[in-house]
Amino acid sequence: MENIENLKKELVAEIEAAQDLKTLEEARVAITGKKGKLTAMMKDLSSLSVEEKKEMGKNLNLLKAEVEKALDQRKSLLEEKALNEKLAKETVDVTLPVRPEIQGRIHPVSKIYEEVVAIFGQMGFSVAEGPDIEDQFHNFNALNMPANHPARQMQDTFYIPNPDSDDFDDSYVVRTHTSPVQIRTMENQQPPIRIIAPGRTYRSDYDATHTPMFHQVEGLVIDKNITMAHLKGCLYDFVKAFFELDEIPVRYRPSYFPFTEPSAEMDIGCLKTKNELKIGAGNDWLEILGCGMVHPNVLRAGGIDPDVYQGFAFGMGIDRLAMLKYGIPDLRTFFESDVRWLKHYGFNALDEASMTGGLSNNGGANR
Ligand code: DAH
């Protein structure tokens, strides 16, 4: 018995002497491994008498359990020590200045996104989000586009089969516009509502101004006594702030969208020459967004009483805004991940867009 106690002390001391995981593993093999000390003692039991075997066997099993516990404890301790040493070694000093030669750039789409959020944020809008994969109810039906509505063909939709149903009407879509976020917001929030919803959208289209994935920003305002005058004032302030001009000619052309009535498209004044597009002057017009008063059917679909509340909505392409504001001719290049392109058109990561500090920081002078 005394021997067992001494042996225990000896083995535990051996385990605790291990200063790293490798030495501990060697100790484990030397004690409880196939050819280990303890294993050998267990094997020797067979040479003892039945009585001795019983007594010794019990003691050895107890010893083994204690040795294994000591091994486990030492292992956790050394693992933690190793992790802490690794973390200490890998510490990054975030206060160090950026090294220009490895500096990342902000993509123009992210930049425009920040600018749009800064402008509408200051007007009191908050940012809402919705899923990229939508059901047809939110992408179409609730927006006053029931099945077989001709307007559904205007949008070259990517459909996704529904594993639980063979009915085509139950298939999902990757959202063709950010307008479904209007419905999701109305479902979750009571008026007054004032949101913008920037995000990815998808249509089967590909040329210099269309890519299968692109970005839109949706706007929705709902309250009592909202009129077209609010829409016009809000969007006028937006384009002035966005193009960083004190004045800009605008006009609204009557248009058609199923989810608004009346509907309009907003144009801004510009000058188009062979090689240049100058925004804010000249006799030409450039379409920049779709808008209108929210259709009563849409309010109803979102659970809002159109006899009490009215609203306006608008939607525009973020990538298109980037092309216009920063003079980028081909949309397809946006998504090619060419580092040279990003270096040329991208923005300094530390120049955050804000209404007080400057939107694009001197029209891109800091690029
Ligand atoms: N969803 C439309 C599109 O993708 C854009 C749009 C037009 C959104 C008018 C609106 C709106 O909210 O009122 O073409």
Side-chain angles (χ1 to χ4, degrees):
M1 195 57 214
E2 218 173 85
N3 279 347
I4 291 274
E5 265 310 304
N6 284 342
L7 184 61
K8 186 180 133 191
K9 276 194 196 131
E10 189 191 308
L11 295 181
V12 169
E14 194 177 335
I15 290 166
E16 281 178 0
Q19 291 304 317
D20 56 57
L21 287 163
K22 191 168 162 271
T23 326
L24 181 69
E25 177 59 12
E26 283 163 9
R28 187 192 66 78
V29 172
I31 302 170
T32 61
K34 250 192 207 158
K35 292 184 181 151
K37 264 181 241 170
L38 209 54
T39 319
M41 288 175 81
M42 296 268 202
K43 277 187 193 149
D44 287 347
L45 283 177
S46 54
S47 61
L48 300 178
S49 72
V50 178
E51 271 309 301
E52 281 173 327
K53 207 192 278 181
K54 211 170 158 196
E55 178 68 15
M56 195 62 175
K58 197 173 119 205
N59 287 338
L60 280 182
N61 273 332
L62 283 174
L63 175 61
K64 192 171 177 225
E66 293 200 44
V67 162
E68 278 170 353
K69 198 169 136 213
L71 279 168
D72 277 351
Q73 279 173 350
R74 190 71 192 161
K75 191 166 177 223
S76 317
L77 200 103
L78 291 178
E79 275 172 351
E80 198 182 315
K81 193 172 143 229
L83 181 66
N84 285 338
E85 278 168 8
K86 190 162 179 244
L87 287 175
K89 236 198 304 184
E90 290 174 1
T91 307
V92 176
D93 183 353
V94 291
T95 63
L96 282 176
V98 176
R99 268 188 273 153
E101 72 274 18
I102 54 161
Q103 192 180 340
R105 311 293 282 172
I106 299 293
H107 194 284
V109 170
S110 303
K111 183 70 178 171
I112 299 288
Y113 176 108
E114 278 179 19
E115 294 178 18
V116 171
V117 169
I119 299 170
F120 283 106
Q122 208 200 25
M123 290 190 211
F125 284 70
S126 43
V127 174
E129 285 182 337
D132 285 21
I133 297 177
E134 263 299 2
D135 50 51
Q136 293 190 47
F137 173 78
H138 288 92
N139 196 77
F140 292 129
N141 303 55
L143 289 161
N144 204 25
M145 279 186 268
N148 303 320
H149 191 289
R152 286 201 186 197
Q153 262 100 60
M154 278 161 48
Q155 311 195 337
D156 304 295
T157 312
F158 290 116
Y159 287 90
I160 300 176
N162 180 339
D164 299 323
S165 167
D166 290 335
D167 187 345
F168 180 72
D169 289 343
D170 293 334
S171 48
Y172 294 104
V173 301
V174 268
R175 64 180 180 190
T176 55
H177 49 180
T178 41
S179 304
V181 186
Q182 289 190 28
I183 305 298
R184 292 195 174 271
T185 306
M186 289 187 239
E187 284 170 342
N188 291 314
Q189 195 183 323
Q190 284 304 306
I193 290 173
R194 229 185 286 166
I195 56 115
I196 54 167
R200 288 188 177 154
T201 46
Y202 307 82
R203 289 184 203 175
S204 179
D205 215 347
Y206 188 73
D207 60 35
T209 53
H210 297 89
T211 50
M213 188 284 299
F214 57 108
H215 300 82
Q216 286 191 338
V217 58
E218 192 79 14
L220 177 70
V221 171
I222 297 178
D223 205 344
K224 289 179 178 157
N225 304 319
I226 292 289
T227 71
M228 195 100 182
H230 295 118
L231 176 158
K232 290 174 73 177
C234 172
L235 294 178
Y236 181 57
D237 281 353
F238 166 71
V239 291
K240 273 196 309 181
F242 180 76
F243 288 104
E244 297 170 69
L245 294 168
D246 292 332
E247 266 186 78
I248 184 165
V250 298
R251 72 175 184 188
Y252 295 85
R253 271 179 299 105
S255 184
Y256 173 75
F257 300 104
F259 28 88
T260 43
E261 181 59 39
S263 303
E265 273 163 309
M266 183 188 193
D267 294 346
I268 53 174
C270 64
L271 180 70
K272 290 177 187 164
T273 59
K274 204 160 160 253
N275 296 317
E276 213 194 5
L277 174 71
K278 195 163 181 288
I279 288 169
N283 294 324
D284 299 309
W285 294 100
L286 191 71
E287 177 205 319
I288 73 153
L289 56 84
C291 56
M293 301 304 293
V294 182
H295 196 291
N297 287 349
V298 174
L299 291 171
R300 267 185 223 111
I304 289 174
D305 183 351
D307 292 328
V308 181
Y309 292 103
Q310 299 78 43
F312 69 82
F314 55 88
M316 57 194 147
I318 294 184
D319 322 82
R320 184 171 150 76
L321 290 178
M323 291 171 83
L324 290 175
K325 185 161 177 177
Y326 296 119
I328 310 172
D330 191 324
L331 182 57
R332 291 168 295 200
T333 59
F334 276 56
F335 309 116
E336 281 169 358
S337 301
D338 186 328
V339 182
R340 293 163 304 175
W341 185 91
L342 198 57
K343 217 167 175 182
H344 182 74
Y345 287 114
F347 292 84
N348 189 330
L350 301 173
D351 290 342
E352 209 177 311
S354 84
M355 291 300 282
T356 43
L359 263 194
S360 60
N361 296 295
N362 311 323
N366 288 346
R367 271 197 211 160

